[in-house]
Amino acid sequence: MICNNLTVNGEGHLCLGGQDTVALAAQYGTPLYLLDEDRIRERCRTYMKAMHEAFGERALPLYAGKAASFKQIYRIMKEEGMGVDVVSSGEICTAVSVGFPMERAYFHSNNKTDADVAYAMEHGIGYFVVDNREELDAIEKEASARGITQKILLRLTPGIDPHTYEAIATGKVDSKFGSAIETGQADEITAYALSLAHIKLSGYHCHIGSQVFDSDTFLRAAAIMLEFANQMREKYGLVIDELDLGGGYGVRYLEEHPEIDIAANIIAVGLAVKAQCMMLQYPMPAVRMEPGRSIVADAGMTLYSVGTVKRIPGYKNYVSVDGGMTDNPRYALYQAPYTVLLANRANDKSERFQCSVVGRCCESGDILQEHVSLPANTARGDLLAVLTTGAYNYSMSSNYNRIPKPPVVMLKDGKSYVAVKRETYEDVCRNDI
Ligand SMILES: *Cc1c(COP(=O)(O)O)cnc(C)c1O
């Protein structure tokens, strides 16, 4: 199996965190999101421990809430001592509602409205991760009106494309996010931030990309960021207190994806950062990382009931399930790969067929996965599992076709509980006048 929290029991049923998915589907219905809380906490601890070891006690992992945002997740992050990265007032509201300590919250987004800026300050946001000059103006205005000094990080683009493995002068410099070091804009925005009376520039942020597997991406990003920080010290006397290296460690969706040793990777980044700080005689900043996917993805799984099997001889086969792009739009959006199997007969070695697993929406693009191998006798009533759906599934779900969203059921210590209720038809038309 692609992850060690997956097993098959004596009845041939797929288990997540040791719990029988067939029994869970019977108890909670389908479609159903499962999330293994024990796994999520284990991942938080891996980051926390490795970052402290690598960068010292001031280091802090920030959970990137956009991967999966609901109240219980923020309770868990609070208990684990994590920080969070939030990207909207809605995420701030969710975190605030469970008493998350907002001084450990970092507010991202390339376009924060004036209302967002005011909302975040009203709730005592720790940091704005500032994307652009308009945002600096908005923060200065709001902070000045409130008579406070607001801490910020500046988001920079160090010009690394994680998927070509090249440090390039153009490439990611043309990102919609942040200010490029290469073009001089990072320097300009630093000078501007330093000129504003109600803003404290605490440090720099970068986020290279997602599904990063190669170990030197973070090393190179850190090196470029520190080199730039050192230039800014020479030019403006600025010494940064924080360096945020963003998120992006990859997870295994398929057997052929590698498994990364996140702790070992972070330790390696730590050694390099320490060495460079020593060389530049730069005080070691408090390092932040922002893992989203690698905290929650493989804690998750989605269960569906098979409804119909359609064979078009000489063409293709379809297996339709009771969910689809409304609960997981990622294949439809960008052909995200997933491992798919029958949960009620996970060891079935009978003859197989190739099929497309599709959803129930009135939309040909409503595909969960293509080229899936399932038992040829797959039929209505079988339970189908899509693995590794803990990240960017619930958080990207919609009510297209007025389909209610599935519940999120969490697994902990051999027990299960509802963290997000299944939507009802009343919920779906709740705001209609
Ligand atoms: C999406 C994002 C993350 C999290 O990325 P993962 O690939 O889920 O780890 C972290 N920081 C920023 C700024 C992001 O946009």
Side-chain angles (χ1 to χ4, degrees):
M1 287 280 182
I2 54 173
C3 184
N4 64 6
N5 60 352
L6 297 169
T7 49
V8 180
N9 69 13
E11 291 164 278
H13 296 171
L14 181 64
C15 298
L16 177 64
Q19 298 192 46
D20 186 329
T21 57
V22 176
L24 289 164
Q27 184 179 349
Y28 297 102
T30 60
L32 172 64
Y33 294 117
L34 296 177
L35 261 187
D36 177 356
E37 179 177 337
D38 297 318
R39 167 55 57 117
I40 292 172
R41 289 183 185 271
E42 181 189 318
R43 289 279 192 250
C44 291
R45 288 167 200 178
T46 298
Y47 270 97
M48 193 69 82
K49 182 163 176 282
M51 285 186 68
H52 283 166
E53 205 174 316
F55 307 109
E57 291 301 310
R58 292 177 68 222
L60 183 68
L62 316 176
Y63 166 66
K66 75 178 200 263
S69 181
F70 50 89
K71 289 180 181 179
Q72 181 65 354
I73 278 281
Y74 294 105
R75 290 189 193 103
I76 293 169
M77 294 305 149
K78 180 181 170 185
E79 285 174 17
E80 293 296 327
M82 300 277 287
V84 294
D85 137 3
V86 292
V87 298
S88 72
S89 295
E91 287 189 4
I92 291 172
C93 172
T94 312
V96 164
S97 70
V98 296
F100 189 87
M102 295 307 282
E103 68 274 9
R104 295 207 306 261
Y106 290 65
F107 188 12
H108 281 272
S109 166
N110 64 309
N111 183 13
K112 303 173 185 79
T113 63
D114 292 349
D116 289 330
V117 170
Y119 188 85
M121 275 188 212
E122 188 182 321
H123 291 98
I125 195 91
Y127 299 79
F128 283 79
V129 182
V130 174
D131 193 274
N132 50 63
R133 205 179 159 105
E134 290 97 321
E135 184 182 339
L136 278 179
D137 289 335
I139 294 170
E140 172 64 18
K141 191 166 160 219
E142 187 67 32
S144 162
R146 290 171 186 270
I148 62 167
T149 301
Q150 178 63 53
K151 285 189 283 188
I152 67 155
L153 305 182
L154 285 175
R155 179 166 183 166
L156 308 182
T157 46
I160 295 175
D161 183 338
H163 300 297
T164 61
Y165 300 64
E166 272 175 33
I168 41 173
T170 53
K172 289 290 162 180
V173 169
D174 63 3
S175 166
K176 118 174 158 174
F177 296 104
S179 307
I181 292 175
E182 184 66 30
T183 58
Q185 285 161 314
D187 183 337
E188 281 165 28
I189 200 164
T190 296
Y192 189 54
L194 289 171
S195 77
L196 299 173
H198 298 88
I199 283 180
K200 169 158 172 43
L201 175 52
S202 298
Y204 293 119
H205 166 278
C206 66
H207 173 71
I208 305 303
S210 266
Q211 273 299 77
V212 174
F213 286 104
D214 72 309
S215 58
D216 70 345
T217 300
F218 285 95
L219 282 177
R220 305 218 329 267
I224 294 169
M225 297 292 283
L226 278 171
E227 178 56 40
F228 177 74
N230 191 46
Q231 286 169 19
M232 295 302 99
R233 177 173 65 172
E234 284 164 9
K235 198 161 172 183
Y236 304 113
L238 167 71
V239 177
I240 61 165
D241 187 48
E242 296 202 13
L243 177 64
D244 185 338
L245 298 173
Y249 277 119
V251 306
R252 271 183 110 188
Y253 288 101
L254 303 175
E255 285 295 344
E256 61 255 41
H257 290 161
E259 190 167 357
I260 357 182
D261 184 339
I262 289 173
N265 249 277
I266 292 173
I267 304 294
V269 178
L271 288 174
V273 166
K274 277 183 197 153
Q276 194 179 1
C277 285
M278 194 95 83
M279 188 188 75
L280 298 170
Q281 296 193 316
Y282 202 97
M284 179 78 175
V287 173
R288 278 84 183 90
M289 285 181 148
E290 302 173 333
R293 188 191 312 269
S294 54
I295 298 279
V296 289
D298 68 13
M301 173 191 294
T302 310
L303 296 173
Y304 303 95
S305 296
V306 171
T308 67
V309 178
K310 174 174 180 172
R311 297 163 196 273
I312 312 173
Y315 291 89
K316 66 193 289 188
N317 305 310
Y318 287 99
V319 170
S320 300
V321 297
D322 55 354
M325 63 186 282
T326 44
D327 56 79
N328 181 359
R330 297 189 68 248
Y331 190 83
L333 273 175
Y334 36 62
Q335 284 77 55
Y338 283 101
T339 298
V340 180
L341 69 156
L342 291 187
N344 58 329
R345 34 195 181 118
N347 281 335
D348 193 324
K349 297 282 186 291
S350 63
E351 192 200 335
R352 301 179 85 82
F353 76 155
Q354 290 276 320
C355 61
S356 291
V357 175
V358 298
R360 60 185 297 194
C361 295
C362 293
E363 171 67 52
S364 309
D366 176 18
I367 300 168
L368 283 170
Q369 200 65 208
E370 293 180 288
H371 314 295
V372 176
S373 165
L374 291 177
N377 61 359
T378 295
R380 190 178 185 93
D382 273 322
L383 185 66
L384 184 136
V386 177
L387 307 182
T388 331
T389 57
Y392 305 109
N393 273 235
Y394 173 69
S395 61
M396 285 184 144
S397 62
S398 76
N399 290 120
Y400 182 54
N401 288 180
R402 294 243 132 172
I403 293 172
K405 294 181 186 178
V408 179
V409 165
M410 298 197 80
L411 311 179
K412 179 164 172 46
D413 298 333
K415 298 198 178 70
S416 61
Y417 66 95
V418 175
V420 180
K421 288 189 289 186
R422 184 182 295 284
E423 282 186 344
T424 62
Y425 299 121
E426 290 71 41
D427 290 332
V428 164
C429 42
R430 185 178 47 211
N431 294 326
D432 299 6
I433 306 294

